[in-house]
Amino acid sequence: MKKGRIQLLILMFLFTINSYPQKAPYFLKGEDPKPKGSKWKKIKTMSDEFNKDKVNENKWQISGQGWIGRPPGLFQAENIKLAEGKLQITAKKLPKPIIKNGKTFTHGGGYVGSRSGMTYGYYECRMKANKTFMSSTFWLINEKRNANFCDRRTTELDIQECFGERTSKQGFTIKFDEFMNSNTHSRHIPDGCDFVKGTVPAKASIGSKVYDDYHVYAVWWKSKDEILFFLDGKFQSKVKPKADFNLKMYLRMVVETYNWNPVPVDGGMNASVEDRTTSYDWVRSWKLIDK
């Protein structure tokens, strides 16, 4: 059989395999934590295989719609695209500084957030980080619009937060480019509300750089006080947040700058476009239902 025909058959096989709808989250054998008598149901409004020509903006809010970024990193829609069956967000240095809302931006990043939210469930993505000092992230956070009184507090669930180049001198960032760095944040507690402010982190070693390959980062938000983290289909750790995690949260996939991992002297953007790009192969959200 000719080499070209063999390659075509392989591609057709891979396409067929990838065309099958996913019926459950990605787990290694024996790692699925679902209780007996239940099954996983995919939440389509918070899931995407990114195999279309452009981002579905009915499902995802992208840069330029709301949050503009943390200086010096400006969120720009032009840095976001779908290509090769992946969501790609590219970091860059701006040709010249841009001033917005009285703040100066020197670099460009990107923001993609779900328009739909949910509470308890399983959230996962297959991601390859960029090699720059800017972040590669996958997380959840609540929204305060139309929220009342104590529900105006903030709950944030960081599933993976990493960067490719360490410029920080802070100890917690050591090997930040080799770990799944997770957090549960409780903050902005309104006066008179009986909730505790604070952070409970979790870490898991990847065993290589975050930009060397794709990894599946996931969390089972099981209840208001039980959060379980998974890496590449395997359970890693469980944490109890400082305050009740019972508010609806929304997915975020973001490439941004941190003031605790500052811009390097050379601007930090000498790498190729590929190396400056964070790629999301897919993102999937699930909830447990009775069989």
Side-chain angles (χ1 to χ4, degrees):
M1 187 179 291
K2 293 183 179 180
K3 183 178 179 181
R5 183 170 174 75
I6 293 174
Q7 291 176 333
L8 178 60
L9 288 173
I10 291 173
L11 289 173
M12 291 176 64
F13 172 75
L14 292 175
F15 176 80
T16 302
I17 293 298
N18 291 330
S19 298
Y20 289 131
Q22 297 296 317
K23 295 183 178 180
Y26 174 78
F27 291 113
L28 296 182
K29 186 177 180 180
E31 292 289 335
D32 189 341
K34 70 176 180 295
K36 187 176 180 179
S38 62
K39 65 178 182 179
W40 297 106
K41 179 183 178 181
K42 183 187 283 187
I43 307 304
K44 294 182 179 180
T45 55
M46 299 177 72
S47 302
D48 208 320
E49 301 300 310
F50 301 124
N51 52 11
K52 304 297 183 181
D53 293 330
K54 61 179 183 179
V55 176
N56 181 352
E57 293 189 47
N58 291 321
K59 183 180 292 188
W60 306 105
Q61 182 185 57
I62 65 172
S63 300
Q65 305 169 6
W67 184 26
I68 65 171
R70 177 191 297 110
L74 178 66
F75 294 151
Q76 298 174 301
E78 65 193 57
N79 301 329
I80 300 167
K81 68 177 182 178
L82 296 190
E84 301 174 355
K86 298 171 178 63
L87 169 67
Q88 299 181 347
I89 306 178
T90 301
K92 70 180 184 184
K93 189 174 187 296
L94 300 175
K96 61 180 181 179
I98 293 176
I99 298 176
K100 275 197 170 186
N101 299 342
K103 298 176 181 178
T104 301
F105 297 87
T106 58
H107 287 69
Y111 156 89
V112 177
S114 67
R115 295 187 183 277
S116 296
M118 194 170 72
T119 51
Y120 315 127
Y122 194 87
Y123 304 87
E124 58 179 348
C125 82
R126 186 171 184 263
M127 180 183 82
K128 182 180 180 181
N130 72 68
K131 290 187 177 181
T132 78
F133 73 96
M134 291 178 68
S135 73
S136 296
T137 67
F138 177 57
W139 46 293
L140 294 136
I141 193 168
N142 68 308
E143 292 186 355
K144 298 181 181 181
R145 289 177 299 178
N146 303 319
N148 297 313
F149 195 39
C150 293
D151 284 353
R152 293 190 62 78
R153 62 193 173 97
T154 297
T155 56
E156 179 180 331
L157 175 48
D158 298 329
I159 303 166
Q160 168 61 321
E161 185 176 34
C162 63
F163 48 61
E165 179 187 3
R166 181 176 181 246
T167 60
S168 174
K169 295 182 180 179
Q170 297 193 44
F172 77 90
T173 64
I174 294 174
K175 293 190 175 182
F176 213 71
D177 58 354
E178 297 180 11
F179 276 74
M180 176 178 172
N181 307 288
S182 308
N183 271 305
T184 57
H185 297 292
S186 170
R187 58 178 183 266
H188 304 148
I189 312 297
D191 292 340
C193 296
D194 189 22
F195 290 102
V196 177
K197 176 182 177 181
T199 295
V200 181
K203 293 179 76 71
S205 175
I206 290 172
S208 62
K209 298 295 186 182
V210 290
Y211 50 74
D212 283 342
D213 206 347
Y214 286 88
H215 294 279
V216 178
Y217 304 104
V219 68
W220 183 20
W221 178 9
K222 186 177 179 180
S223 68
K224 65 182 178 62
D225 54 10
E226 195 171 3
I227 311 290
L228 292 80
F229 294 102
F230 292 76
L231 172 62
D232 290 327
K234 183 176 177 59
F235 171 72
Q236 300 296 323
S237 60
K238 180 172 66 174
V239 303
K240 180 180 180 179
K242 287 289 185 180
D244 290 350
F245 267 42
N246 58 359
L247 301 176
K248 181 188 294 185
M249 290 201 267
Y250 299 76
L251 282 174
R252 300 289 183 260
M253 291 166 280
V254 180
V255 172
E256 62 179 322
T257 53
Y258 298 127
N259 57 12
W260 41 265
N261 197 59
V263 179
V265 175
D266 66 359
M269 292 293 154
N270 298 318
S272 66
V273 172
E274 181 181 358
D275 287 346
R276 289 187 282 110
T277 298
T278 299
S279 293
Y280 300 85
D281 189 11
W282 46 258
V283 58
R284 298 167 186 156
S285 302
W286 310 82
K287 68 177 180 180
L288 282 172
I289 62 172
D290 294 333
K291 285 186 176 180

